[in-house]
Amino acid sequence: MRTGIRWKLSAAIAMVGALVAVALSLVVHNAARVSMLDNSRDLADERIQVAQRMYESGRTQSFGVKVDDPTIPGDLLAKVKEGRRATYVTDRPNGVPDIWAAVPLKDGRVLSLHTGFTDRNTDVMKDLDQALIIGSIAVVFGGSALGVLIGGQLSRRLRKAAAAANQVAKGETDVRVREAIGGVVRDETDDLARAVDAMADALQQRIEAERRVTADIAHELRTPVTGLLTAAELLPPGRPTELVRDRAQAMRTLVEDVLEVARLDGASERAELQDIMLGEFVARRVAAKDADIVVRVIHESEVTTDPRRLERVLFNLLANAARHGKPPIEVSVEGRVIRVRDHGPGFPEELLADGPSRFRTGSSDRSGHGHGLGLTIAAGQARVLGARLTFRNIRPAGAPENMPAEGAVAVLWLPEHAPTNTGSFPLLPA
């Protein structure tokens, strides 16, 4: 059973309070009972001595004194036979103690006194037990309330820290966990927050350094690759020349993709917004890319977006479907939503769980050839547009998860207003 730290702390304090209260109550109850019994035995001892003097002087006995009482307890009688004056306590079936006192007489007989626990003592014990029960209940409830108060404060700080850490994980690098939890009390949560902030700063610096190195390497490769491609155009026609040109072009495409990923990671890209009819735009672009792909415009709508970046996202999704999926490839436009579906083996589970990742193409049945940059660029451009790009596999209704997929669907959700989810600000055309 999953419970919050507030209730766990409250339950722990309540349990400890209950144990302490019960232990103290038992100690106090037993100490009070022993004290009262000692007082009763002392009083019985004084009375039996007075009764002894009166008996030996021949005066009349009083206050329940008996001679050779047949009901006297055996242990007490044994002590008296030894010539000792003694007191003895027995318990009745109802738990009320009986007080006995006995003393040997000069004529060999035994003088005894039998009294019960006084009503006053019984009432005092009852009142004491009642007070102890009430006090124990108050301690338990007070401890629970204190646990809820302390645990609630700690739980609140931890929830704020978790929310801030999730924001950092989503790429909001300006969020700091320590500032999010706030408060004037300094405890272990502050140490945890500072550690998370330090880790986030270190990771951000490392990612930024890797991005700069990647961009610098790609930029430096751009010139020699362009020269290589130009030189390949001068080679005489033939199969070797075609192979050289093909590999040089692939290298140039890779360099351009790496540069684009580096720019997208730097969050410096800006969307240049225009008003377009989405269905008409997608139909024209897809027809120019591949006339065999059928586009269905379910509902036409006018959107404000960056046409160049939208085209880049659309073409990358189509290229991924053509490379890793199987025909037919279907494109549908419904309002602000664009869907690209193929009938291949589906997206790998890693991509569905973590999203696109550069230089990772997924499982072997959908990996094919490539560097995993196409969907990474599509996701980055979608962020610049303020859009949301999701991926899922198509399975029959009620089919188990381990059943092979019947196709993959990439869905682009365009925003209703200007981009707001990327930290970039759109540049409206003049």
Side-chain angles (χ1 to χ4, degrees), residues 277-289 293 295 297 314 331 333:
M277 301 303 295
L278 185 60
E280 179 186 354
F281 176 86
V282 172
R284 285 192 286 108
R285 293 299 190 274
V286 173
K289 178 73 172 177
I293 299 177
V295 178
V297 180
L314 180 60
V331 179
V333 180

Side-chain angles (χ1 to χ4, degrees), residues 47-288:
R47 288 181 176 181
I48 198 65
Q49 293 183 58
V50 172
Q52 181 185 11
R53 291 193 294 269
M54 293 176 65
Y55 178 84
E56 292 176 348
S57 62
R59 287 180 288 177
T60 305
Q61 301 297 318
S62 62
F63 43 79
V65 176
K66 295 182 181 180
V67 177
D68 291 337
D69 187 354
T71 60
I72 186 171
D75 293 339
L76 178 60
L77 183 61
K79 292 293 183 182
V80 175
K81 291 298 183 180
E82 296 176 0
R84 302 171 59 182
R85 187 180 74 254
T87 59
Y88 191 77
V89 178
T90 60
D91 287 327
R92 297 177 187 173
N94 59 2
V96 178
D98 281 339
I99 311 299
W100 290 82
V103 62
L105 299 175
K106 294 180 179 180
D107 57 4
R109 305 177 73 180
V110 176
L111 187 66
S112 64
L113 173 66
H114 179 203
T115 61
F117 212 47
T118 63
D119 293 338
R120 180 185 177 187
N121 289 338
T122 303
D123 293 340
V124 169
M125 289 300 300
K126 289 181 179 179
D127 293 340
L128 178 62
D129 291 341
Q130 184 177 5
L132 290 175
I133 293 174
I134 295 175
S136 300
I137 295 175
V139 167
V140 172
F141 280 99
S144 300
L146 182 62
V148 170
L149 181 63
I150 298 175
Q153 179 68 18
L154 180 60
S155 177
R156 211 162 27 246
R157 290 166 64 85
L158 290 176
R159 285 197 301 269
K160 290 181 179 179
N166 286 331
Q167 289 179 298
V168 173
K170 292 179 180 178
E172 300 181 25
T173 57
D174 58 334
V175 177
R176 288 296 174 266
V177 179
R178 179 62 194 87
E179 296 176 358
I181 62 176
V184 296
V185 178
R186 297 293 180 264
D187 53 19
E188 288 78 2
T189 55
D190 293 271
D191 299 334
L192 175 62
R194 291 190 181 91
V196 173
D197 289 340
M199 179 181 66
D201 290 336
L203 289 175
Q204 182 63 27
Q205 293 173 3
R206 181 173 180 179
I207 292 173
E208 181 63 22
E210 292 179 354
R211 186 193 66 81
R212 287 197 301 267
V213 170
T214 303
D216 291 343
I217 293 175
H219 189 271
E220 292 298 326
L221 287 174
R222 198 174 189 180
T223 300
V225 169
T226 302
L228 179 62
L229 189 60
T230 302
E233 296 293 335
L234 302 177
L235 295 176
R239 181 58 180 168
T241 300
E242 293 178 1
L243 293 176
V244 171
R245 290 175 182 174
D246 179 66
R247 293 299 89 195
Q249 183 61 46
M251 186 178 295
R252 181 178 181 179
T253 302
L254 175 60
V255 171
E256 294 295 338
D257 287 348
V258 171
L259 280 173
E260 186 172 359
V261 170
R263 288 195 300 267
L264 292 172
D265 286 345
S268 59
E269 294 291 285
R270 299 292 184 266
E272 298 180 1
L273 302 180
Q274 296 180 17
D275 294 332
I276 61 172
M277 301 303 295
L278 185 60
E280 179 186 354
F281 176 86
V282 172
R284 285 192 286 108
R285 293 299 190 274
V286 173

Side-chain angles (χ1 to χ4, degrees), residues 273-279 282 296-306 310 313 332-339 382 385-390 410-419:
L273 302 180
Q274 296 180 17
D275 294 332
I276 61 172
M277 301 303 295
L278 185 60
V282 172
R296 291 189 306 122
V297 180
I298 301 174
H299 175 65
E300 180 67 280
S301 64
E302 183 178 3
V303 298
T304 302
T305 188
D306 187 331
L310 178 58
V313 175
S332 63
V333 180
E334 184 176 1
R336 298 177 177 275
V337 180
I338 303 174
R339 294 180 176 87
L385 295 176
R388 185 161 58 100
L389 184 59
T390 61
V411 184
L412 181 66
W413 310 74
L414 291 175
E416 184 176 356
H417 302 290

